[in-house]
Amino acid sequence: MDMRITRVRLISQIFFIGLALFFAFITQFSYLKGYPVSLFLEVDPLVAIASSITTHTLYRSLIWSLVILIPTLVLGRFFCNWICPYGTLHQFVGWLFSNRGPRGVKERLESNRYRKWFALKYYILIGMLVAAAFGSLQIGLLDPICLFFRSLTISVLPAVDMASGWIYVQPFVYQFAWVVGPILIFFVAMNLVIPRFFCRVLCPLGALLGLLSRVSLWRIERDEQRCDNCKLCLQRCQGASDPHTALRKSECLVCFNCLDDCPHGALGFSMLPSSPHHEVAVPDLSRRRVIFAGLTGLLFFSFSRASGEITKNFKKEVMRPPGSTAEPEFLERCAKCGQCMRVCPTNVLQPAMLEAGVEGIWTPVMNMKMGYCELNCTLCGQVCPTGAIQKISIAQKLGVGEFTDLGPVKTGTAFFDQGRCLPWAMDTPCVVCQEVCPISPKAIFSREVEIVNRWGKKITLTRPFVDPTLCNGCGICEHECPVKDYRAIRVTAVGETRSRDRSLLLK
Amino acid sequence: MDRREFLKRAAGAGLAIAGSALGAAWLYDPRGGAEYFRSEENKKTASLKSYRVDRGKGAVEMTVVRGKDPEKMMRAGIQAMGGIGSFVQKGDVVLIKPNVAFDRAPALGATTSPDVLKAVALLCKKAGARKIIVADNPINQPEGCFFKSGIQQAAADVGAEVMLPKPGAFSLVKIGGEILKTWSMFHRPLEHATKVIGVAPCKDHNLCSASMTMKNWYGLLGGRRNQFHQQIHTVIADFAQMIRPTLVVLDATRVLMQNGPTGGRLSDVQEADTLVIGTDMVAVDAFGYTLLGRDPEKLEYIHKAEARGLGSTKWKEQNWREVLAG
């Protein structure tokens, strides 16, 4: 078999997208074992760099991003066309819908022409990094790895399960799956208009790698003696990087298709340009636009903080997973990748839309209608790549052993709605909440009262109460409450241990 | 238009008209589709057969086994009742129903002990059971419950199949109780089974005072079962009407004395080194209640069941044995 480099590349792409899908599938209680299921996020240099900008530290496994970053400095944006599973998805769809026949040559050349507005991704990156400098990590909105895993978790896997029943024992659903899914469809469908639209126009990780590849030593080199300007090298050019003239290094995805497609053998991959005008080393950015993009990032930060969602106007629904950092640091760290929502065994973790403010879009919040926080479980913190949810142990979560002094990690506090609770409002026995409370002694206690009901009959009722010193806000009481639509016991964020400002009791 | 073309179109139109008429007739539903508005009798329901074994008059109905080794205890207890062969025959498919309701370690006493489950399964295997199914519909998330309770491992150790409560495994079942007429049930394991053995831990319960072998069947139900609490004693008595198991085993190797049914601390648990094996779950629970240090006269649901002729709370008057083993 003819083992061209493009074939090696294809094998690499299939391997990595397969690995990514495998990781996404096994990110659940029964299969997790010790697999590094967040590996793709941990090697993502944009997650590493942007979260280093927000927190001034490099969290744990993010050091692995050097595995991508260093070769990029030598070889260029190889990540985009050799590893990135989202890029592979777009390349596949672009290929599927392209006119591959001999009559489509002209159409193919046209579709892979560089367009000035492909520089948009650099401005997006700059805006996001400036917002990061002030403490708002927004790269996850468009980072391809975060997008890929988030789309799988929130929309694709639930849909696959609906058709097959292969994914969950009891079906998981996610709020706003109807938004996350169509965003994926939109980006995929744009390949029909412009191949690799997302990669060329929007991808902030691609933009970062493009900037880094400025110094790379190797790149596509064109032999002007052999080249007859037929432009056939553009036929399958993934990055729209002008290999037929001065190569745009920051756009080149190192796919090597041009090497295959050149009928004259004029293209090669070689070290250092033979002449400086053979390449365009930097993306074509205008200084004013760069400043404008930066200002936009700054204003995004100011305007969203000015709305007060993380200070005075914080929402009772914003209950973060156990082990989460306090809200300002949470927004510095959460990359919106959805790994916590994927691994959560009860489906309680849900992507926020606007309840945590505009900065908190797609960050995890607990929704007790969907699930509850399992007492002996800290899986969300184990898979979190950035430490938004810290890797806490069960002992730490429960506040036992060496953590006795610190007490349990609380995510909120439960409150009874006595107007809706059956024994409180309707002379009807219940206390399911107390039954399922996992704390010992139970955080829900009861008092027996003897009352005369409306028919004059003496009955004994067991009326439940919350002990706020014991309640950890797990929400199983709310989850199991039979008053289904608007529960008679509800957990809100107050009393959460991650923030002193939001505590309830004077200790 | 020539004649040929006219005939073609006329035939096409005729077919389309006939097709729509036939389709409409086929789909025609004079009642309206909503299941909810149908009377109970008109609902499509499955019903459960009795899994009880007739062992003739004078057979031992209950044994109380004391000891440390569940395997030896089960063997000795069943021996005193005539041997496993009188309950399970070659080729039987046995459903063992443990209580795996909560995501808890075995030592916390909130779930059936994996050692007891294993002991029961081994006996069934010895009797020649073709297949052993272990199934429960937990309150906490199912995979976590089966894993952390050790039941999954125990089942794997003896080659039993764990059946998880997937949505497709439920169907509407006729129960015929006082409150539960028909209810959604985790029915798939029961379809396969020819024998059913309930293996329940002995636990304190916040609402109905004790969760034992009768309450254990809660775990085969689906739907809005959090409404049962509104009339819990009547509903538990309905369970005894719903299912006639081959055997029940009350696992009182550990007893959850307080903070039930979830427990949570080792101090909630007391070692009692006892198994109660019986064919009458009302009697077994009446005895079991004494292990919690409480008076069976005051346990409402066993008396409700007794009043309906579903069993007897007077275990002392039955043919029972006490056995020491291991």
Side-chain angles (χ1 to χ4, degrees):
Chain A
M1 198 171 85
D2 174 19
M3 206 55 181
R4 286 168 300 178
I5 183 113
T6 46
R7 191 150 288 165
V8 180
R9 188 210 72 215
L10 189 61
I11 292 169
S12 163
Q13 285 181 286
I14 292 170
F15 171 76
F16 282 113
I17 196 170
L19 188 67
L21 291 172
F22 172 70
F23 281 156
F25 176 72
I26 62 165
T27 308
Q28 58 170 289
F29 180 83
S30 315
Y31 305 119
L32 195 63
K33 313 275 191 297
Y35 290 109
V37 289
S38 295
L39 187 67
F40 280 87
L41 293 145
E42 288 159 353
V43 300
D44 181 335
L46 182 58
V47 171
I49 289 178
S51 68
S52 304
I53 292 175
T54 52
T55 64
H56 314 124
T57 56
L58 191 59
Y59 182 72
R60 286 174 179 255
S61 304
L62 291 180
I63 194 115
W64 285 108
S65 60
L66 292 176
V67 170
I68 301 301
L69 200 130
I70 292 168
T72 302
L73 295 172
V74 184
L75 300 171
R77 282 172 72 176
F78 77 103
F79 175 83
C80 304
N81 224 107
W82 285 68
I83 295 172
C84 180
Y86 203 51
T88 301
L89 172 68
H90 291 304
Q91 181 173 0
F92 173 71
V93 175
W95 170 82
L96 197 65
F97 286 97
S98 68
N99 184 348
R100 297 194 291 280
R103 288 193 197 157
V105 176
K106 210 172 155 211
E107 200 182 307
R108 292 201 295 274
L109 301 190
E110 183 59 23
S111 70
N112 293 328
R113 212 162 38 78
Y114 177 76
R115 291 160 174 84
K116 227 175 149 43
W117 47 276
F118 286 180
L120 178 63
K121 58 182 173 293
Y122 298 100
Y123 299 115
I124 291 174
L125 172 72
I126 289 160
M128 285 177 169
L129 290 185
V130 169
F134 289 93
S136 186
L137 190 69
Q138 295 303 324
I139 50 108
L141 288 172
L142 284 175
D143 177 277
I145 305 297
C146 297
L147 251 174
F148 184 78
F149 282 98
R150 180 170 72 234
S151 308
L152 282 178
T153 294
I154 293 170
S155 300
V156 179
L157 291 176
V160 170
D161 187 71
M162 248 177 257
S164 66
W166 292 339
I167 311 293
Y168 316 108
V169 171
Q170 287 164 340
F172 275 31
V173 288
Y174 293 93
Q175 58 192 24
F176 305 115
W178 64 276
V179 178
V180 173
I183 288 174
L184 175 71
I185 291 175
F186 173 74
F187 288 150
V188 166
M190 279 308 286
N191 289 297
L192 277 64
V193 183
I194 290 176
R196 300 200 73 159
F197 166 81
F198 179 84
C199 312
R200 292 175 184 176
V201 184
L202 297 176
C203 183
L205 174 59
L208 174 76
L209 298 175
L211 289 173
L212 293 174
S213 61
R214 179 185 175 170
V215 298
S216 73
L217 302 175
W218 270 270
R219 48 152 188 70
I220 302 292
E221 168 81 358
R222 188 168 52 96
D223 182 344
E224 282 185 15
Q225 307 300 316
R226 291 190 181 183
C227 174
D228 73 349
N229 274 323
C230 68
K231 295 184 185 155
L232 288 176
C233 51
L234 276 177
Q235 277 194 89
R236 294 183 297 142
C237 175
Q238 292 300 307
S241 61
D242 289 352
H244 63 295
T245 164
L247 176 83
R248 293 179 183 276
K249 234 166 111 177
S250 58
E251 306 304 306
C252 176
L253 308 186
V254 207
C255 70
F256 294 125
N257 280 339
C258 56
L259 268 62
D260 278 5
D261 289 343
C262 178
H264 313 294
L267 292 163
F269 191 57
S270 51
M271 200 168 103
L272 297 175
S274 47
S275 141
H277 59 259
H278 279 183
E279 63 173 37
V280 182
V282 283
D284 60 343
L285 301 176
S286 103
R287 185 172 300 162
R288 283 182 201 181
R289 287 177 187 198
V290 167
I291 293 169
F292 184 71
L295 267 176
T296 308
L298 165 63
L299 290 175
F300 166 83
F301 173 82
S302 332
F303 292 162
S304 45
R305 291 291 158 111
S307 61
E309 266 101 352
I310 73 163
T311 50
K312 285 202 290 196
N313 196 26
F314 82 92
K315 299 288 190 294
K316 62 184 188 302
E317 296 87 0
V318 183
M319 292 170 281
R320 298 296 192 186
S324 291
T325 48
E327 194 64 11
E329 191 179 345
F330 194 85
L331 294 176
E332 288 173 2
R333 289 184 178 275
C334 178
K336 313 167 192 278
C337 65
Q339 287 291 84
C340 51
M341 302 173 214
R342 173 74 187 108
V343 80
C344 175
T346 74
N347 202 198
V348 70
L349 294 183
Q350 296 284 322
M353 180 61 105
L354 289 170
E355 51 269 48
V358 69
E359 290 173 84
I361 292 175
W362 310 141
T363 57
V365 290
M366 298 207 284
N367 178 337
M368 310 310 185
K369 265 184 146 174
M370 300 287 204
Y372 62 94
C373 185
E374 189 72 72
L375 188 70
N376 297 306
C377 175
T378 56
L379 288 175
C380 49
Q382 310 304 311
V383 298
C384 178
T386 56
I389 313 168
Q390 298 277 301
K391 269 190 177 55
I392 57 169
S393 64
I394 301 279
Q396 205 167 351
K397 184 180 174 191
L398 303 182
V400 297
E402 57 179 308
F403 302 100
T404 308
D405 290 345
L406 286 169
V409 172
K410 299 182 179 199
T411 51
T413 310
F415 292 83
F416 279 104
D417 185 338
Q418 294 186 353
R420 297 180 67 84
C421 177
L422 300 179
W424 276 107
M426 299 176 183
D427 289 358
T428 305
C430 184
V431 291
V432 174
C433 48
Q434 185 188 33
E435 170 178 4
V436 295
C437 176
I439 314 283
S440 180
K442 285 182 184 288
I444 295 176
F445 62 97
S446 50
R447 295 195 175 107
E448 293 212 335
V449 288
E450 224 175 57
I451 56 148
V452 177
N453 73 7
R454 64 176 294 210
W455 311 112
K457 196 180 156 198
K458 238 191 213 174
I459 55 170
T460 307
L461 283 169
T462 306
R463 284 181 173 159
F465 298 80
V466 173
D467 181 341
T469 59
L470 291 170
C471 178
N472 69 350
C474 78
I476 192 169
C477 49
E478 181 177 342
H479 185 63
E480 296 292 334
C481 175
V483 191
K484 274 283 201 184
D485 56 346
Y486 186 53
R487 314 276 157 122
I489 182 164
R490 298 184 299 272
V491 180
T492 66
V494 72
E496 55 179 5
T497 34
R498 68 188 181 120
S499 158
R500 248 197 130 140
D501 298 341
R502 301 181 187 185
S503 60
L504 179 63
L505 301 171
L506 180 67
K507 288 242 172 92
Chain B
M1 192 188 294
D2 60 18
R3 181 181 298 161
R4 194 188 170 83
E5 180 67 18
F6 171 75
L7 288 174
K8 253 166 87 179
R9 288 200 192 180
L15 275 176
I17 291 166
S20 5
L22 281 173
W26 184 56
L27 293 170
Y28 181 62
D29 176 10
R31 277 193 309 190
E35 182 85 0
Y36 176 83
F37 292 104
R38 293 192 191 153
S39 61
E40 295 287 338
E41 301 83 64
N42 281 332
K43 285 178 182 165
K44 262 188 261 162
T45 52
S47 30
L48 299 186
K49 60 171 188 242
S50 169
Y51 298 94
R52 207 165 270 180
V53 180
D54 182 20
R55 295 179 304 136
K57 272 216 158 110
V60 176
E61 286 152 288
M62 184 172 104
T63 51
V64 176
V65 195
R66 316 275 186 184
K68 284 276 179 197
D69 178 348
E71 215 182 304
K72 286 181 189 156
M73 290 161 76
M74 263 319 288
R75 221 179 307 141
I78 286 286
Q79 203 54 47
M81 295 177 79
I84 187 68
S86 53
F87 297 100
V88 176
Q89 282 83 41
K90 199 165 186 292
D92 266 337
V93 175
V94 184
L95 165 64
I96 301 180
K97 161 64 179 80
N99 180 339
V100 199
F102 300 104
D103 184 288
R104 290 282 201 229
L108 293 170
T111 50
T112 297
S113 147
D115 296 330
V116 173
L117 181 103
K118 245 200 247 184
V120 176
L122 281 174
L123 275 180
C124 297
K125 260 178 107 173
K126 220 178 79 184
R130 181 162 63 83
K131 188 174 171 186
I132 299 168
I133 301 169
V134 175
D136 193 18
N137 180 23
I139 293 180
N140 290 168
Q141 179 263 347
E143 292 122 299
C145 291
F146 274 94
F147 180 77
K148 289 183 208 164
S149 65
I151 294 295
Q152 189 177 305
Q153 188 59 49
D157 288 349
V158 293
E161 179 195 340
V162 168
M163 234 183 233
L164 292 176
K166 286 208 156 210
F170 287 77
S171 33
L172 203 59
V173 169
K174 194 178 195 105
I175 290 171
E178 216 173 287
I179 291 177
L180 307 183
K181 307 287 186 211
T182 58
W183 204 271
S184 161
M185 193 171 191
F186 183 17
H187 188 241
R188 173 131 349 126
L190 287 160
E191 282 171 343
H192 294 279
T194 55
K195 297 287 157 63
V196 173
I197 302 177
V199 186
C202 186
K203 308 198 282 180
D204 167 59
H205 194 280
N206 71 315
L207 181 61
C208 60
S209 187
S211 169
M212 297 177 289
T213 63
M214 282 171 75
K215 174 78 165 54
N216 186 29
W217 305 111
Y218 181 102
L220 282 184
L221 293 166
R224 292 291 314 281
R225 54 183 182 172
N226 53 4
Q227 295 170 331
F228 295 169
H229 301 65
Q230 293 160 32
Q231 304 216 35
I232 192 71
H233 293 283
T234 312
V235 166
I236 295 176
D238 282 354
F239 295 159
Q241 197 145 353
M242 167 180 88
I243 190 160
R244 312 278 161 124
T246 317
L247 261 181
V248 291
V249 178
L250 182 68
D251 163 18
T253 50
R254 306 179 185 91
V255 176
L256 185 65
M257 301 297 288
Q258 59 185 28
N259 212 58
T262 51
R265 283 177 305 175
L266 285 172
S267 55
D268 298 330
V269 182
Q270 229 171 59
E271 306 269 319
D273 302 327
T274 304
L275 289 179
V276 189
I277 309 168
T279 50
D280 173 0
M281 43 184 160
V282 180
V284 171
D285 282 5
F287 178 87
Y289 203 51
T290 63
L291 294 171
L292 282 157
R294 300 173 196 176
D295 176 8
E297 279 309 309
K298 291 183 183 149
L299 186 57
E300 208 180 320
Y301 62 77
I302 55 174
H303 293 284
K304 279 187 186 275
E306 184 173 47
R308 287 196 231 163
L310 299 169
S312 164
T313 61
K314 296 169 192 68
W315 53 273
K316 275 182 193 160
E317 293 168 14
Q318 290 191 342
N319 189 1
W320 72 286
R321 300 272 186 283
E322 187 155 11
V323 182
L324 287 175

